[in-house]
Amino acid sequence: MDRSLRILLIVGAAATLLLICSAVKRQKIQIEDSLFWICFSGLLVVLAVFPQIAFWLSALLGFQSPANFVYVVIIALMLVREFRNSSKISTLKYRVDQLAQEVALDENDRGADKDEGR
């Protein structure tokens, strides 16, 4: 693996870790979500510090270069994360719709009670 890629992985991991720590501190991200990013940063550091892992896995899986393997791993992890976020968003949208309907029905019932009391 090229030295510049190794340096880029370490810098990227450090930047990600700083961003996550800052977001947690400002309560912009939940700790359970930050764990993914901390593990992701750790994986990048491990691949940068021990490039033999990338060489071994890329040879085992038939990649032409370890850099291609690293890119595929990063893309795959981001796709998994994106799917998980999409699933959470869909669930939350459904729950918001249900809550809005319940609130509308409650307001309608209160309005009907007020009209009957006149």
Side-chain angles (χ1 to χ4, degrees), residues 70-111:
V70 170
Y71 293 142
V72 167
V73 167
I74 289 171
I75 291 169
L77 287 173
M78 293 298 110
L79 285 173
V80 168
R81 182 68 181 172
E82 177 63 23
F83 177 77
R84 185 170 176 247
N85 283 341
S86 294
S87 176
K88 279 184 176 181
I89 289 169
S90 294
T91 301
L92 290 173
K93 281 182 179 179
Y94 176 77
R95 292 173 68 186
V96 166
D97 288 344
Q98 293 294 316
L99 184 60
Q101 291 172 4
E102 287 178 24
V103 168
L105 288 173
D106 286 345
E107 287 178 358
N108 189 27
D109 287 345
R110 286 186 197 146

Side-chain angles (χ1 to χ4, degrees), residues 5-64:
L5 178 60
R6 291 173 63 190
I7 292 170
L8 182 64
L9 287 175
I10 292 172
V11 169
T16 302
L17 188 59
L18 289 174
L19 286 171
I20 292 303
C21 290
S22 174
V24 169
K25 186 176 180 182
R26 292 179 291 142
Q27 297 179 344
K28 298 288 183 183
I29 188 172
Q30 292 181 348
I31 292 179
E32 77 177 55
D33 291 329
S34 70
L35 290 176
F36 169 82
W37 293 107
I38 291 169
C39 292
F40 180 73
S41 296
L43 176 66
L44 292 180
V45 169
V46 167
L47 287 175
V49 173
F50 302 106
Q52 302 86 357
I53 295 171
F55 278 101
W56 180 74
L57 286 172
S58 65
L60 181 70
L61 297 173
F63 286 89
Q64 289 185 352

